[in-house]
Amino acid sequence: MRRWRRRLADEGEEVKVYRELAARRSGEEREILLGLAEAEERHAAYWEELLGDEVGPKRRGQFRMRVLVLLARWFGSVFVLALAQRAESRTPYRFDRDAPPAMAADERIHEEVVRALAARGRARVSGTFRAAVFGANDGLVSNLALVLGVIGGNVAVSTVLLTGLAGLLAGALSMGAGEYISVRSQRELLAAAAPNPEARAVVPYLDVDANELALVYRARGMSAEEAQRRADALLRDPKPLVPPVESPADEHEVVGTGIRAAVSSFIFFASGALVPVLPFLVGLTGGLAVLLAVVLVGIALMLTGATVGVLSGAAPLPRALRQLGIGAGAAAATYLLGLVFGAVAG
């Protein structure tokens, strides 16, 4: 009975999550989320019917589900969809003897529905998000490594502080400019690869018996037979436009815009690079300042990794530890090099 009541409470929380998300959406996405809420209500009704007179007072779901409801109410973003996708993937119904197979199958389908909805949001923010994660990670690691490197060289605290702030400004400006150029170049390459709409206008004038239209489709990845069928069909009725195999707009959306990527990279690099300098800015010196800088950067690296894990629908802890390990390795290597060069210069 306790397990059934827990299932009923959790289903109620899932209903709230999808309805809160739907309240912040419109059109097709809203309808899909409301459809998911109705499915969870159906599951809740099953447990309620199973409990009968033993249903008891209304209970609250698990803590993580209640947090998810609050996040959906406050934000309604792709972050919440990613969390909902992970929650659906951990459904206990596959191992619950009282849950019918159809209900367990429903939950697997719900995971795919939420994955598809989250993919839309990921595509919209992926360019900016990539620049933000890269900028934050680079700022944390590079400036900590820079600070540790000069400390390993046994220099004055004022020199450490000046080096850290210079590294922050130089790195943030360089990252912002580099991201802008990179994204602009990638968008130009994608635009160059897109079909030229002016070429469609010549289709009615092609020689039916001798033309290269089939080669266009073959160059886009079709087999020779399928390409010939498409070309023959178009030549019989040349009014429809030649549709591109892939939508370049989708690729452009994933890449993002140069301005957004540059601003995101600049801000997050500067924020990350500020962390290892903070102890020296507040007047700390010596081993305490170094220890605090390392701890703060470690926490920030783990938060960055965990965020990437959540948004990718994966477990956050392994991603957090991976980010921490890579950053710690780079910083340690730079510190050791600083010791070596400091000894040589001394």
Side-chain angles (χ1 to χ4, degrees):
M1 288 294 179
R2 285 195 298 269
R3 178 163 46 84
W4 291 354
R5 293 190 187 105
R6 188 167 63 250
R7 298 282 187 265
L8 174 60
D10 288 342
E11 291 290 357
E13 299 293 349
E14 286 195 65
V15 171
K16 293 178 186 176
V17 169
Y18 291 127
R19 291 204 175 276
E20 292 290 348
L21 288 172
R24 293 176 171 270
R25 296 294 198 278
S26 60
E28 187 181 29
E29 286 193 21
R30 174 182 169 82
E31 293 176 8
I32 292 171
L33 288 165
L34 289 176
L36 288 173
E38 291 171 4
E40 301 298 355
E41 286 173 343
R42 186 174 67 248
H43 293 175
Y46 169 82
W47 296 112
E48 193 169 359
E49 182 180 355
L50 204 61
L51 285 161
D53 296 335
E54 300 294 330
V55 66
K58 189 174 182 180
R59 299 169 182 266
R60 304 181 71 181
Q62 298 180 58
F63 176 74
R64 63 183 178 85
M65 293 305 301
R66 299 202 303 271
V67 170
L68 197 54
V69 172
L70 291 175
L71 291 173
R73 185 174 301 157
W74 293 338
F75 302 107
S77 65
V78 63
F79 183 77
V80 181
L81 282 172
L83 288 172
Q85 174 188 329
R86 179 154 177 78
E88 292 286 6
S89 70
R90 295 190 295 185
T91 176
Y93 292 159
R94 285 175 287 177
F95 313 105
D96 193 326
R97 62 182 181 275
D98 298 316
M103 187 180 292
D106 282 350
E107 294 296 327
R108 295 298 298 272
I109 296 301
H110 293 176
E111 179 189 354
E112 294 307 312
V113 173
V114 177
R115 188 194 308 276
L117 288 175
R120 297 182 180 188
R122 289 181 181 120
R124 287 192 290 266
V125 303
S126 61
T128 305
F129 179 70
R130 177 193 58 77
V133 171
F134 183 43
N137 186 72
D138 198 18
L140 288 164
V141 174
S142 66
N143 226 30
L144 176 64
L146 184 63
V147 168
L148 291 181
V150 294
I151 289 174
N154 197 26
V155 299
V157 174
S158 58
T159 304
V160 174
L161 186 58
L162 179 61
T163 302
L165 292 176
L168 184 156
L169 291 173
L173 290 169
S174 175
M175 285 288 294
E179 279 293 337
Y180 178 80
I181 294 170
S182 173
V183 172
R184 286 288 298 180
S185 300
Q186 191 171 359
R187 289 179 68 89
E188 288 167 0
L189 286 172
L190 290 172
N196 185 352
E198 295 180 2
R200 304 174 186 178
V202 305
V203 173
Y205 304 102
L206 290 174
D207 187 332
V208 176
D209 298 320
N211 65 80
E212 291 74 42
L213 185 58
L215 297 181
V216 175
Y217 292 109
R218 290 178 66 182
R220 292 176 186 168
M222 291 186 184
S223 66
E225 295 77 12
E226 178 64 20
Q228 193 60 54
R229 282 196 296 270
R230 290 287 296 272
D232 292 342
L234 185 62
L235 288 169
R236 285 194 299 269
D237 185 11
K239 292 180 181 178
L241 296 177
V242 180
V245 175
E246 296 180 355
S247 172
D250 292 341
E251 293 177 301
H252 285 54
E253 188 177 45
V254 170
V255 172
T257 65
I259 293 293
R260 284 206 300 264
V263 171
S264 176
S265 183
F266 178 90
I267 292 174
F268 280 90
F269 183 97
S271 302
L274 182 63
V275 172
V277 184
L278 281 175
F280 301 94
L281 279 175
V282 298
L284 296 178
T285 59
L288 178 61
V290 174
L291 177 62
L292 185 58
V294 171
V295 170
L296 289 176
V297 169
I299 294 172
L301 283 170
M302 292 189 70
L303 286 174
T304 304
T307 302
V308 173
V310 168
L311 282 176
S312 63
L317 184 58
R319 301 301 190 279
L321 294 176
R322 180 184 67 183
Q323 200 92 339
L324 177 63
I326 294 172
T334 309
Y335 177 69
L336 292 174
L337 289 173
L339 287 176
V340 172
F341 287 121
V344 172

